[in-house]
């Protein structure tokens, strides 16, 4: 049994007969009244995001998890196949359990959190950024970089990302997986 002082990003808890992962949290100590913790939680069974406020000192049921490195193999409809890099055991996860499935490239290593009680996978933590090649984009125009104008570009995984106007087909770009947004152009 944990309390609100143990809340952190990535913590898995039991709440309302479901398992949730803490996405964001904020400890608030107002000038008047008791302290509280404002949280944003994602359900690990249906993917819904819920905002909740816990009063300070509130007891929460923590779910014990183990983290293992898995390699993404391939997708089959809504099923994504991963392989444990240590035991070579393969698992299949539903698309809704993944945070940014459209940015997964074959061979990418991810961290999978597994519930120790049921041995079922709970969530997948993607790397903070991925480097992907642009497969389609409108031609870039020189001199149009004084403003923050963007255009849509399709990357090799099929995802569409807004990029600056100077990005062309064949360029490799770094994408933030948390926001699915362009970070920088990568020169190799």
């Amino acid at each position: 049994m944990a309390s609100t002082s143990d809340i952190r990003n990535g913590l898995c808890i039991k709440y309302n007969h479901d398992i949730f992962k803490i996405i964001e949290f904020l400890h608030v100590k107002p000038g008047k009244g008791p302290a509280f913790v404002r949280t944003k939680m994602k359900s690990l069974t249906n993917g819904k995001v819920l905002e909740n406020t816990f009063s300070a000192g509130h007891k929460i049921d923590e779910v014990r998890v183990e983290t293992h490195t898995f390699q993404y193999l391939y997708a089959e409809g809504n099923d994504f196949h991963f392989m444990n890099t240590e035991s070579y055991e393969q698992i299949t996860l539903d698309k809704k359990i993944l945070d940014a499935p459209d940015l997964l490239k074959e061979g990418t290593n991810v961290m999978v959190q597994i519930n120790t009680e049921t041995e079922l996978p709970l969530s997948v933590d993607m790397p903070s950024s991925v480097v992907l090649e642009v497969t389609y984009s409108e031609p870039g125009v020189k001199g149009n970089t004084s403003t923050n104008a963007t255009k849509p570009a399709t990357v090799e995984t099929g995802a569409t990302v807004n990029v600056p106007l100077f990005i062309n087909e064949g360029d490799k770009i770094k994408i933030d997986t948390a926001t699915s947004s362009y970070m920088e152009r990568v020169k190799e």
Side-chain angles (χ1 to χ4, degrees):
M1 196 61 107
S3 71
T4 54
S5 61
D6 299 320
I7 290 179
R8 63 189 180 283
N9 286 342
L11 177 72
C12 294
I13 63 171
K14 288 181 185 172
Y15 181 73
N16 280 356
H17 309 291
D18 200 358
I19 297 177
F20 288 89
K21 180 179 178 182
I22 305 291
I23 300 171
E24 294 176 15
F25 73 98
L26 178 66
H27 286 276
V28 179
K29 174 67 176 111
K32 192 174 189 179
F36 57 91
V37 180
R38 190 173 292 135
T39 61
K40 188 180 281 189
M41 308 181 293
K42 180 179 180 181
S43 172
L44 298 179
T45 55
N46 58 25
K48 291 184 180 176
V49 176
L50 174 75
E51 292 187 11
N52 191 37
T53 302
F54 295 102
S55 57
H58 183 82
K59 299 292 182 199
I60 53 176
D61 287 330
E62 188 175 355
V63 176
R64 219 170 88 70
V65 295
E66 289 181 352
T67 304
H68 297 284
T69 304
F70 280 77
Q71 183 179 39
Y72 170 60
L73 299 175
Y74 62 95
E76 212 173 34
N78 282 343
D79 293 335
F80 283 69
H81 298 270
F82 295 88
M83 177 184 66
N84 189 324
T85 56
E86 295 169 6
S87 67
Y88 303 109
E89 171 190 347
Q90 292 189 15
I91 60 171
T92 303
L93 299 176
D94 193 83
K95 184 177 187 173
K96 66 183 176 189
I97 210 171
L98 305 171
D99 292 333
D102 53 344
L103 295 178
L104 266 177
K105 181 180 174 182
E106 292 178 1
T108 303
N109 284 341
V110 296
M111 303 303 287
V112 177
Q113 292 183 337
I114 298 175
N115 186 343
T116 57
E117 295 172 11
T118 61
E119 295 296 324
L120 293 173
L122 292 176
S123 71
V124 177
D125 293 332
M126 299 257 309
S128 60
S129 63
V130 291
V131 176
L132 298 173
E133 185 176 335
V134 175
T135 56
Y136 175 76
S137 174
E138 296 293 324
V141 180
K142 279 196 173 207
N144 280 357
T145 57
S146 62
T147 62
N148 285 337
T150 60
K151 62 182 179 181
T154 305
V155 293
E156 60 189 291
T157 60
T160 302
V161 179
N162 284 332
V163 298
L165 297 175
F166 59 83
I167 299 294
N168 295 312
E169 285 183 28
D171 288 348
K172 291 192 182 279
I173 59 173
K174 185 184 254 188
I175 301 170
D176 181 5
T177 56
T179 60
S180 297
S181 61
Y182 168 85
M183 292 173 71
E184 64 183 354
R185 179 168 50 179
V186 176
K187 298 207 178 202
E188 293 181 347

